[in-house]
Amino acid sequence: MPLIVVTTSPRVAPGLLSHQAWQAFGSGPVLTGSEDHPQLPYLAEAGVEVAVVTPDPAALARRAVTETVVWLAAADSEDFMRSVGHAAVAMAEPPLIEVVPGSYDLPGARVLDLVAVMDRLRTECPWDRKQTHETLVPYLLEEAYEVLETIEQGDYPALREELGDLLLQVAFHARVADGFDMDDVAEGIVEKLVRRHPHVFGSVRAETADEVNDNWEAIKAAERASKGDRPSVLDGVPMGQPALSLAAQLVRRAERAGAPEGLTAAIWQGVGRELFDLVRRAQDAGLDAETELRAAARSYRDRVLRWESERESS
């Protein structure tokens, strides 16, 4: 006789169960060790009787030898089910243990956990409770730069953690916001991605990355026009970004619109002009000035560290 273990996800609304789970509930007595299991009211409504028992791995394994038993597992029952497995293996004639997914996480489901944790922190933690969009800005920038650093270093195992820290900042701002929440943030970017990728979600054809970029810019221009905004090739350029990447983006946008090179002649003289010219030279060579300078800075850092080490050892 089998022991049928029905698992469910706390990230899926209770009562939304698979066909296999509903079939399993009709194959034998249904037991659970959790008196507050979220599925209980919905199973009772469907006429499924569930007995709440004290979790006993050995007793459960023995009972499954003589009859089919259905165990409704709680979300935190991994240790208990491991003990059931050990108890079954130790038996002369162990029961068959079958796991039936009643519900399971879809991709992205763990973001629900983040939203729930953020709600609790915002309510119960004094530090999190007093934060504003303005006070969180330094952390947003810091986490973004830490993501950049792990990518530059090729430390992809660390990238997972750093992306999590950055995602926290998004969730934090969405929780602080008055008038929208994390769902609204996700809805907005989903709508934008679908709208700006008609070659994926519509009938437009785009065979190359350049064609995709052209479509993207045309769609953005149409969006601005529909809002009544005065169109500019520089719309959307964040002026708060680092100066090298800012200059590069301004030049790239202007040249794409056909702006004459002579416009740079009006830029003041001095170091600023020289740096701007270097950005243009890098762009003409197919290089990113910000990336090149960061690479040079890392190389200089390594040389200074070696010099310090050699000086200390001499």
Side-chain angles (χ1 to χ4, degrees):
M1 296 293 178
L3 168 60
I4 302 176
V5 180
V6 178
T7 62
T8 59
S9 169
R11 301 166 197 90
V12 176
L16 298 178
L17 297 170
S18 66
H19 178 65
Q20 292 85 348
W22 287 113
Q23 284 186 317
F25 289 134
S27 60
V30 182
L31 312 176
T32 187
S34 175
E35 62 182 0
D36 58 352
H37 198 293
Q39 299 291 345
L40 292 181
Y42 300 90
L43 294 177
E45 185 178 351
V48 178
E49 294 184 8
V50 182
V52 179
V53 300
T54 301
D56 186 333
L60 183 61
R62 287 195 302 269
R63 183 171 178 178
V65 172
T66 58
E67 65 176 324
T68 298
V69 181
V70 182
W71 181 263
L72 177 60
D76 57 352
S77 62
E78 289 186 13
D79 291 340
F80 172 73
M81 295 315 304
R82 191 176 296 110
S83 298
V84 172
H86 291 325
V89 170
M91 299 171 63
E93 296 184 8
L96 174 67
I97 300 179
E98 178 185 356
V99 178
V100 174
S103 60
Y104 49 88
D105 293 343
L106 295 174
R110 290 286 181 173
V111 176
L112 297 175
D113 291 346
L114 174 59
V115 172
V117 167
M118 196 64 251
D119 281 343
R120 186 168 179 181
L121 290 176
R122 186 68 172 166
T123 303
E124 301 179 21
C125 175
W127 187 89
D128 290 273
R129 193 164 52 236
K130 75 174 186 178
Q131 299 309 308
T132 66
H133 293 300
E134 291 72 22
T135 63
L136 289 172
V137 166
Y139 305 104
L140 176 63
L141 294 175
E142 179 182 341
E143 300 302 348
Y145 280 122
E146 288 185 1
V147 168
L148 174 60
E149 184 176 8
T150 59
I151 293 175
E152 289 178 341
Q153 293 174 345
D155 190 357
Y156 296 115
L159 180 60
R160 171 186 172 181
E161 178 180 353
E162 298 302 339
L163 286 174
D165 291 341
L166 184 58
L167 179 59
L168 168 60
Q169 295 305 310
V170 176
F172 209 150
H173 279 279
R175 182 61 180 80
V176 169
D178 182 15
F180 65 86
D181 58 18
M182 191 68 172
D183 284 330
D184 296 316
V185 172
E187 179 184 30
I189 190 58
V190 167
E191 289 179 351
K192 179 184 292 185
L193 289 173
V194 171
R195 186 171 64 249
R196 294 187 181 179
H197 289 78
H199 56 288
V200 176
F201 301 100
S203 58
V204 174
R205 294 181 60 84
E207 304 295 340
T208 67
D210 287 340
E211 290 176 342
V212 171
N213 286 332
D214 290 342
N215 284 340
W216 182 282
E217 294 301 328
I219 294 169
K220 285 174 61 177
E223 291 171 356
R224 289 192 294 268
S226 68
K227 296 177 182 178
D229 297 339
R230 183 180 65 84
S232 169
V233 68
L234 302 181
D235 287 340
V237 176
M239 298 299 291
Q241 63 183 301
L244 285 179
S245 57
L246 171 62
Q249 190 172 6
L250 291 172
V251 169
R252 187 165 55 249
R253 290 283 195 94
E255 290 184 347
R256 186 183 300 161
E261 293 186 7
L263 290 180
T264 59
I267 299 177
W268 66 89
Q269 302 298 314
V271 175
R273 170 60 182 273
E274 294 174 8
L275 289 171
F276 198 90
D277 288 341
L278 283 174
V279 170
R280 289 193 59 125
R281 284 174 49 193
Q283 196 132 294
D284 291 341
L287 301 173
D288 178 73
E290 181 77 19
T291 301
E292 294 299 310
L293 183 56
R294 289 181 63 83
R298 290 197 304 275
S299 177
Y300 180 71
R301 176 204 60 191
D302 294 341
R303 289 175 178 271
V304 171
L305 292 174
R306 284 197 298 271
W307 170 74
E308 287 181 328
S309 177
E310 292 169 356
R311 184 180 62 174
E312 291 175 359
S313 61
S314 62

